[in-house]
Amino acid sequence: MTTPPTDLKATLLKLEARVHDLEVTARETGQNLDAAIHPLRAEVERLRTAPVPAANAPMTRWERVQLARAPGRPTAHDYTERLVTDFTELHGDRNFADDHALIGGPGRWQGRPVMLLMQQKGRDTKSRVRRRFGMSNPEGYRKAMRLMDLADKFGLPVVCLIDTPGAYPGIEAEERGQAWAIAESIQRMVRLRVPAVCAVIGEGGSGGALAIGVGNRVLIQENAWYSVISPESCAAILWRDSAQAPKAAEALKLTAPDLLELGIVEEVIPEPVGGAHLDLDAAAAALGEAVGRHLDELGKLNEQELKAQRAARFRALGAFTES
Amino acid sequence: MALDRFFRRRRPQQQAGSDMPDLWTQCPACKESVYNRDLEANLWVCPKCNHHIRLEAGRRVEVLLDEGSFVQLSGRVHPTDPLNFQDTEAYSDRLVRAQKKTGRPDAILTGTGSILGLPVTLAVMDFAFSGGSMGSVVGEEISRAAEHAAQIGTPFVLVAASGGARMQESALSLMQMAKTTVALEGLTARGLPYVSILTDPTTGGVTASFATIADVIMAEPGALIGFAGPRVIQQTIRQSLPEGFQRAEFLLEHGMIDDVVDRRNHRNFLAGLLGVLTRRAPDALPTQQSPEQSSEQSAEAPA
Ligand SMILES: [Zn+2]
């Protein structure tokens, strides 16, 4: 990260205050907020101990992961406020509940009519708790499918902004078929008759991200990550020590440049030097341009071509040899 | 993903179908010692407590298909190490070890055959190979098998047994969830049935993709089935989990699967079902089952 030395102390104080805030909330509500607290605490430790890097020093994969989760990282709302007009949020899965971690509705993406689906982590402690830090219950994915039905009906291209540590791991989520909801959402996206452009804007955590990630084009911001598992969980399993997360992040090759090389994404969307949080308007402009350009390109394809292109894109992914 | 449980606490359970120098096997559930020939005759269901012992893929094929009908499709696709993944051990070394142990290139066995005379295409995941984890090869072989079924016009039957997507291929493993879903579309287009059988354990990215978008979802009694692993959930909510949580019977109760079916009844169940769906008659009518082998009974049997 490229925090200038003069700002370091202020940043540290801000982070420490936030950790404290979350800990108090956790105590008072009885909710486990470790998923939010641990990365912040790690960041505090890192800033305290790490020498301040030069402004243009290359970042490690782990540093990028931390940047993707940093408290000041722009959320989907920060972008849509700048890029989307006439947005009508549509609530609920018509079955059980409204999920606040995955929201959506029709709007205009820099003037283009689209159906917007986005994972929203929240911008302060209260909204983060309400939005479960961007971790959906099955209702979130079922609402997404409902909105995809509307997109197909009205011929609206689907734009997905992905930012989730993963689908929520809870008792009720399992009881109501978390795995089923994700699987069906993937299938629903495969069957879309309209263009779909997906952009990972922070964390692309596993199946919970892929559930709205089956696009004709998949883009990723420069400092976002996308992986089968979080570095902490991977480290806990393979190294038997979640503190080895930096090593796991390296091994998982989960950064934007890695994913471009693996053919998982079509394009890396540049961020302002130091990260999207340092110049939100510039970050939004780059995201808006990239998504808009792909929407315009895909607009030239008919339904069959769109489905065939999307199917072929995902059918081809994988690495193996053949004897 | 929900791999932790299996990597951390792999039960010291003998895999049925591996070389068995011993004459008997201890049931991992009731701890009774049972003669292997009795277990084999009972399709590796414990005669004492009805526990369904995990099956190696080759033995699963024998349990499901008519004798001598299996023609293997899989085996030519081999895993690579696209990320040069290294944890406490190199992925390439882990692969060699799993290949030596199972005699397969990866955690999947596919082919064609018949069930009471009804032709099917079958894919069986192999938990003995790296916890049945899904990487590029598993995704590719399942996709090819589903496409083969659509091409030759047979129903597709898949037996799931997996801790989820394989970490060592990272995002490429994750993408297999979408890839297999794409490949299954051909069956829908041709009106061919797809039946999945969820066995112990089926979790993570496998549950959240091809395993649960089947037309009919069966599960073996007592099988652990879910998205997140029990330990991850427990850490998140900091409460003890309810009795029977994420077991096949729990999922049946919550409306997520079509039935819990005793292994000794799988062939009859599939033949009856696929016969109706494809408007064909099985060679032999399903034989009368003894009461403890009916699916209703097995659903109530202790897990
Ligand atoms: Zn037993």
Side-chain angles (χ1 to χ4, degrees), chain A residues 51-313:
Chain A
V52 179
N56 54 358
M59 274 185 285
T60 65
R61 291 186 173 91
W62 178 239
E63 283 171 333
R64 280 192 202 260
V65 168
Q66 288 173 304
L67 196 50
R69 297 166 170 169
R73 177 89 183 168
T75 65
H77 268 145
D78 292 310
Y79 291 120
T80 54
E81 277 167 10
R82 286 163 176 79
L83 299 169
V84 177
T85 52
D86 297 336
F87 176 62
T88 308
E89 184 180 348
L90 302 179
H91 295 275
D93 69 343
R94 295 290 192 272
N95 185 42
F96 184 80
D98 186 37
D99 190 79
H100 303 295
L102 206 173
I103 62 180
R108 293 178 196 276
W109 186 274
Q110 295 180 315
R112 303 168 189 85
V114 298
M115 181 62 76
L116 200 62
L117 298 173
M118 49 184 175
Q119 284 158 334
Q120 179 62 31
K121 285 182 170 175
R123 295 195 271 207
D124 51 43
T125 304
K126 204 177 144 196
S127 67
R128 277 167 196 235
V129 170
R130 192 171 81 96
R131 296 190 187 280
R132 255 175 280 102
F133 304 89
M135 294 184 280
S136 283
N137 273 329
E139 295 74 47
Y141 302 112
R142 294 191 171 120
K143 174 169 63 182
M145 287 185 261
R146 183 171 81 80
L147 299 186
M148 288 186 239
D149 290 346
L150 290 184
D152 262 346
K153 177 171 179 180
F154 298 107
L156 295 173
V158 175
V159 173
C160 301
L161 300 182
I162 295 167
D163 188 14
T164 180
Y168 188 71
I171 290 180
E172 294 186 346
E174 295 287 324
E175 285 175 340
R176 299 199 294 271
Q178 186 72 285
W180 280 253
I182 292 169
E184 285 160 11
S185 189
I186 290 169
Q187 187 182 52
R188 184 64 192 85
M189 285 202 88
V190 167
R191 294 176 174 176
L192 276 174
R193 300 193 305 250
V194 292
V197 177
C198 307
V200 185
I201 59 166
E203 300 189 87
S206 179
L210 179 67
I212 60 162
V214 189
N216 295 86
R217 302 276 198 278
V218 182
L219 319 176
I220 186 167
Q221 278 187 318
E222 196 179 337
N223 295 309
W225 64 267
Y226 195 9
S227 167
V228 70
I229 189 168
S230 75
E232 287 87 349
S233 303
C234 179
I237 299 164
L238 292 180
W239 281 266
R240 314 221 159 171
D241 177 10
S242 57
Q244 301 297 316
K247 278 188 195 163
E250 287 302 312
L252 286 166
K253 302 212 168 38
L254 41 55
T255 67
D258 294 325
L259 295 161
L260 186 67
E261 205 180 308
L262 288 168
I264 307 286
V265 301
E266 271 80 16
E267 186 175 328
V268 175
I269 304 168
E271 292 182 27
V273 175
H277 58 294
L278 295 181
D279 189 346
L280 226 169
D281 290 333
L287 176 69
E289 186 279 325
V291 170
R293 176 163 36 81
H294 286 287
L295 285 174
D296 291 344
E297 279 175 26
L298 293 168
K300 295 168 192 152
L301 303 181
N302 66 30
E303 285 180 19
Q304 285 73 30
E305 290 167 331
L306 285 165
K307 275 177 77 169
Q309 186 270 330
R310 200 182 308 119
R313 182 198 187 282

Side-chain angles (χ1 to χ4, degrees), chain A residues 32 34 206 315 321-322, chain B residues 1 78 144 147 235 238:
Chain A
N32 180 2
D34 289 352
S206 179
R315 180 64 185 84
T321 57
E322 199 150 5
Chain B
M1 298 254 140
H78 294 260
R144 289 186 186 190
E147 286 159 354
Q235 278 175 355
R238 287 180 181 165

Side-chain angles (χ1 to χ4, degrees), chain A residues 30-34 142 166-172 174-180 182-184 186-187 190-191 204-210 214 226-230 233-241 247-248 251-254 259 262 264 307 310-323, chain B residues 1 3-4 7-8 75-80 82-88 94 136-137 140 143-144 147 165-179 181-183 185 188 198 207-209 212-213 217 225-228 232-233 235-242 245-246 250-251 254 256-257:
Chain A
Q31 219 175 333
N32 180 2
L33 305 180
D34 289 352
R142 294 191 171 120
Y168 188 71
I171 290 180
E172 294 186 346
E174 295 287 324
E175 285 175 340
R176 299 199 294 271
Q178 186 72 285
W180 280 253
I182 292 169
E184 285 160 11
I186 290 169
Q187 187 182 52
V190 167
R191 294 176 174 176
S206 179
L210 179 67
V214 189
Y226 195 9
S227 167
V228 70
I229 189 168
S230 75
S233 303
C234 179
I237 299 164
L238 292 180
W239 281 266
R240 314 221 159 171
D241 177 10
K247 278 188 195 163
L252 286 166
K253 302 212 168 38
L254 41 55
L259 295 161
L262 288 168
I264 307 286
K307 275 177 77 169
R310 200 182 308 119
R313 182 198 187 282
F314 283 91
R315 180 64 185 84
L317 290 175
F320 52 83
T321 57
E322 199 150 5
S323 61
Chain B
M1 298 254 140
L3 297 162
D4 49 335
F7 278 86
R8 285 202 159 213
R76 288 201 299 271
V77 182
H78 294 260
T80 62
L83 306 182
N84 198 11
F85 196 101
Q86 180 100 32
D87 51 269
T88 53
R94 284 182 192 269
S136 298
V137 171
E140 182 66 21
S143 297
R144 289 186 186 190
E147 286 159 354
R166 188 174 293 169
M167 288 175 286
Q168 289 89 346
E169 294 182 30
S170 196
L172 287 169
S173 298
L174 184 66
M175 293 303 133
Q176 304 309 306
M177 295 167 66
K179 176 163 106 179
T181 303
V182 165
E185 286 293 279
T188 305
L198 311 183
T207 322
S209 63
T212 52
I213 52 171
I217 305 173
I225 301 159
F227 180 63
V232 174
I233 297 171
Q235 278 175 355
T236 307
I237 61 164
R238 287 180 181 165
Q239 292 165 22
S240 55
L241 301 172
F245 181 63
Q246 291 183 317
F250 171 94
L251 289 159
H254 283 87
M256 303 316 300
I257 59 177

Side-chain angles (χ1 to χ4, degrees), chain B residues 26-34 39 45-53:
Chain B
Q26 192 186 44
C27 169
C30 72
K31 310 295 176 202
E32 284 275 347
S33 295
V34 187
L39 269 179
V45 175
C46 173
K48 307 264 167 38
C49 75
N50 207 36
H51 176 75
H52 283 49
I53 294 174

